[in-house]
Structures are given as C-alpha cells and as structure tokens.
Amino acid sequence: MKRWTTRLWALALTLALGIGMCAPALAYESADAERKAEALQEMGLFRGTGTGFALDAAPTRLQSLIMLVRLTGGERAALLEQHAHPFTDVAEGEASAYVGYAVEKGLTRGVSAQRFVPGAKVSAQAYATMVLRALGYQDGSQTVYSQWETLGKKAGILPAGVSTRDFRRGDLVLMSYAALGAAMHSGSGTLADALVSAGAVSEVALSAGRATAGEKVTLSDSLTEILGAVYAGVEGISPSGLNVTKITEENLSFFLGVKSLDFTEGVACEPMMSSQAHSVCLVRLKDGADTAQVKRDIAAGVNPNKWICVGVDPANIRVESIGNLVLLVMDNTAADQYTANFKKLSAAGLIQTGGTYVDAVQAADPSSIRGFSDKLTALRSAYFPENRVFCATVPHKSYYARTELPVYLDHALISDSLSRQLPGWTCVELADTLTLADYYRTDAHWRQETLFPAAEKLGTAMHFTVDRSAFTALSRDGFVGAYRTLDASLESETVRWLTSPATGSAQVQDVQHPAFHGVYALSALDTASPYDLFLSGPTPLTVITNPAAPQRELVVFRDSYASSLVPLLLDAYSKITLVDLRYMSSSLLPQYVEFGGADVLCLFSDQVVNNSRLLK
C-alpha cells in the first residue's frame, strides 16, 4: 500500500500543480458546497481557515497539495515524519511538513531550487489532473493534463456546478467529494474504498460525511453507515478520530457489559486518542431476540468506569432500539444528540419527530433545481410567452423539522434559486403560510383544511379572493397515508375535505378516469391510496369547469399537492386545467391545452423540483 501511495503521488504532484485565473462569479450553489465541505471535514479530509471554509477564495498550490495528500491517505505520515525541504518561502509548521513529505517522496518540486510559491493560484485543470492521478490515471500517447476535462467527466469528478474557468475552494470541495465515489482506474473499487483500506479514513467517518452531505441512510444499511448517521453533525468526538472495532463474543463484556448476546453483528466506536470517556456501540440482534430484555441487560451490566481514570456519569448512558437494532451510547456531553440521530432513522425510512413522521429525503440538488427552472423557461417560451406566469413550490415536511434532522430538503435554497433562475415569473413564497402541523402525520401531503393561508397568498399575487365562509369541512377517521408502506403499524388519523357550492357543481373531466366527474372521490378513502380522495389521484390531464365563476381561466402545471389546493380556487376561475408533466409529455400540450389569456401557475412540491428529471 505504501508503494502504491508513493507511485500515485509521484505521478500526481509532479505534473499537476498549476496556476489558475480568478473571476468574480460563482458557478456552484454556496449551500451545496458548504454541505460538502462539512462532509469532508467529518471525514477528516478538509479543514477551514481561521474564519470558516473560505469557499469563495481561490485555492493555492499549497492548499491543493495538502488536499491531495489527504485524498491519497498520506497526511498522517506527512505530519509525523517532518521531512526537510529546500524552499525558503514555505512557512514552518504543518505547511512545511506537507511540502517536506512531498519532496522526500519525489512527489513535487518548486518553481525554482529555493522557491515553491505556495500562494500561487491553482486552475481547475491542474487540480482535476491531481485527482485523476489519485484515481490511477497515467499518461499514454496524450498526457492526463491535456485530457483532463474529457477524463474528468468520464470519471465523474466534475459534478454540476464546478467552474472550470473561475476555480474556487468551493469548486475544489465539490470535485474532491465527487472523487470519493469515483472508481479507481484499475477497477479496484472507489477512491473512498482505497482510503478506508489504507486506514486513512474509517468507515464510520466516511458514512458520517456522506450523511452530512445529504445521502440517505436507512435501517437496512450496514452498521457503519447507520453509525455514520448517528455521528453526523454532533459536536464532540470527531468521527475521523474513532477506532472502529467489530464486537465479538470475546469483547462483548467489555463493550456492552453482557456475557452473552443473541446477535448477528456489532460495531463499537471509541476514540483513538482522547482522555474523554466515550463509547457508541450498535448491534443487530437475531430475529426473535427479546430486544427489551437485551436493553435491560446492557443498561444494568455496562461499566461506565471501564477506562479506569475517566468515566461516564451513569445519567449519560443511553440504550435505545429500533426493531432488532440496539444502540448503546456512553458520553458526558452529547448522549442525547447521538440517540436523537438514531431515533430519526426509525420506521424503515421514516423519521419520527415532533409527534409526526417525516420521510427521509436527499439534500437539495442544485443541478436538479436548475433543470426544473430550465424546463419552466422552455415551456413558457414555446407555449405561453405572453401569459401571466406564477411559480410556487411546496416545502417538504423535513424543512419544518430541520433543526431536529441530520438531513432535510432545503426549501429556502430551492426558493431562492428559482427566484433567480426564473426572471419574468412571479414567484409566490408559501413557506410562511405553513407549519409541520399542516401536513398529515402519516403522509407527505399537506392537509386541505389548513390551506386557506396558502390559497390567499396565491390570490394576492394572482388577483383573486377566497371566501372561507363558503366552505364546510367533512371528515372521516381511519386515514393512514402513504407512509403505511414504510411502517404498517402507524396509527390512523382524521382526514378532512372542504365542500362548497362550487365543489358540488363543478364538472371534472379526467383523461385517466373518464367515469369520474366530481371534485372528491370518496371511494378512495377505502383504498391503499386514500389521498386520492382529492381529484381522484394521479392523472396526466384534468379540466374543471365552473360556469358560475368569473370568466377567467387557469392552467396549473402540478403534482399531487395541487389536488387538494385547487378546489379552494374554483370560485375564482371558470375553467382550470391541471397538467402533470410526470405523466404527460410536454410535446402534447398544443393538442390538449388552450392557453389563450389564461393565468399559468406552476405548483410543485420541493421533492419534484429536486427530481426534475421526472418532468417530460
């Protein structure tokens, strides 16, 4: 492994260092780069400056060299060996150690015999070449440096948002994070696999970083991936400083305080170098094991003073379980934070928080947001260039529980991005009209009876009013939403729907369900998809007419959230056409939709914005 690292470095650093240009604009989304920087920090691969990550600054030769040292697993040796070097312009301390190590291994050279110029800027081409060398790419008939962009795209190290002209530390972060998942050129796994194999990064630290970056973790994942989610975002013991040990029958008593246990696998995490008493253990029990008794045995038997000179206050010991997983936490400063992160993984992809459930999501994807805005821009240009156009997105439930969750879908990022990327559109912010309580407990959708503030805010922008007094709420108990597929044990709740003279007299034409002509499909309440109560559920095209309303027309590009909101708008428009581009190609619009002088509203959930490739 040592020879492999040296060869890799020799190819990478000798040829790759270069000088870049600097310009004022940023190509990447700041929040995405910040999240990836935090992820790399969790892994022990990236540090900030004295005032933060400084992601908008241009990276230097020295910073790029240090980053590559970490990405190739040589940091520990560099700091321990403290090799000398001939350069007079490199400050003493850690910087000198990195450069000295690289010189000793024949991995880099200066711009002259005595000058390294550590502060010179590095280009995207230079850093991409470094990373490609780290992945094992070598010169052939053409150099890696000359083919950097083609090879970089092929390897997957140039994700959306990376600027190849105005290269900043944020771009370096995005490229470095992408490199971890890139395959080694030899075919021997990924760069992350190589770092774990070399002992440079622990599996738990790698998983903690990925969880911090927004990658989804479920209870079916490996124990180290689950422990990564447990450690993600908790201040205290750094995941990169953990010693990760497999729990066996021989060490069971030391880690868990029991002499025997009916389990299939277990992992213990304790600091490699710290005087702080800390231990987090996770075991997966065999099917049929008495989880409650196991928890009692561990709580009674574990030794909080096993470290002899230091110990954990018994009040700071936690034993929690989800299904057949049992977690033991001993920590004097953050025991509740670790256990809270664990609990959020409950119900096979559901997170329980604040008396409700939230489905696990990926973090906001800037490239998908851009794809969504590009789609809307293209639609407007092709089909309704002169119409009044409005856009609103529905926050995911996780946004309202963001202080309690390791990962959430950032509505503020989505909303801010769309307001910038959709010039000429009126963007209506709905986040301040909703709370977590305005969503079903067992479903991702919002509750119709709580939507008057959202409808009224749309009305203010679109020049219509909503008469609350015209509506009567009907209800039925026993509603269990879509989360029932994730956890069949969920308790039911009450569903309510709002009727009015308009909902009673409006005529509905649904291409998917031609026999359905009403606003509410009550029969859906007895199916596995009870939210289909509203406008009969998923369908490509629906037209609702209400001759008693003012002669105005509205076209709504939408997903299922609009099904429960649109009934509140029936008194404002004589014709409302709903189009779901997840199920209908936009090329068919001229055949089925009359835009004329209609208002056009794009109303989608943040989840669709974050998965904009769904739109046809």
Side-chain angles (χ1 to χ4, degrees), residues 88-209:
T88 59
D89 57 351
V90 177
E92 294 183 2
E94 287 191 358
S96 181
Y98 287 111
V99 175
Y101 180 81
V103 170
E104 173 67 20
K105 302 299 180 183
L107 310 176
T108 191
R109 58 191 177 192
V111 299
S112 69
Q114 294 185 313
R115 296 181 66 243
F116 181 72
V117 194
K121 297 174 184 176
V122 167
S123 66
Q125 182 179 16
Y127 191 67
T129 303
M130 292 183 187
V131 174
L132 287 167
R133 298 292 190 189
L135 292 170
Y137 287 80
Q138 301 180 19
D139 293 340
S141 58
Q142 293 180 292
T143 65
V144 174
Y145 187 80
S146 66
Q147 303 176 83
W148 70 279
E149 195 161 11
T150 299
L151 294 176
K153 290 178 180 177
K154 180 180 178 181
I157 66 168
L158 297 175
V162 169
S163 172
T164 58
R165 294 186 178 183
D166 177 24
F167 194 61
R168 308 288 185 95
R169 280 170 58 91
D171 298 302
L172 179 147
V173 162
L174 295 178
M175 196 183 296
S176 300
Y177 187 86
L180 293 172
M184 300 298 294
H185 193 50
S186 64
S188 58
T190 64
L191 180 59
D193 295 332
L195 288 171
V196 171
S197 178
V201 177
S202 75
E203 290 183 85
V204 170
L206 184 68
S207 299

Side-chain angles (χ1 to χ4, degrees), residues 443 479-482 484 523-534 537-538:
D443 197 277
F479 177 92
V480 182
R484 73 168 71 199
S523 60
L525 291 174
D526 298 316
T527 71
S529 303
Y531 184 77
D532 290 354
L533 160 72
F534 302 100

Side-chain angles (χ1 to χ4, degrees), residues 508-514 516 535-544 554-558 575-585 588-595:
V508 178
Q509 293 178 292
D510 181 342
V511 298
Q512 186 86 11
H513 311 100
F516 175 74
L535 291 177
S536 76
T539 182
L541 181 67
T542 303
V543 178
I544 309 173
L554 172 65
V555 176
V556 184
F557 290 97
R558 57 86 168 223
K575 179 181 178 182
I576 300 179
T577 302
L578 295 94
V579 181
D580 195 331
L581 293 179
R582 295 174 299 169
Y583 311 121
M584 175 178 172
S585 173
L588 297 176
L589 289 173
Q591 300 177 46
Y592 293 97
V593 181
E594 297 176 353
F595 289 98

Side-chain angles (χ1 to χ4, degrees), residues 34 47-55 57 169:
E34 186 79 18
R47 299 179 194 169
T49 65
T51 57
F53 291 126
L55 298 181
R169 280 170 58 91

Side-chain angles (χ1 to χ4, degrees), residues 270-282:
E270 298 194 351
M272 285 189 289
M273 184 181 295
S274 175
S275 60
Q276 180 178 334
H278 172 89
S279 183
V280 174
C281 303
L282 182 65

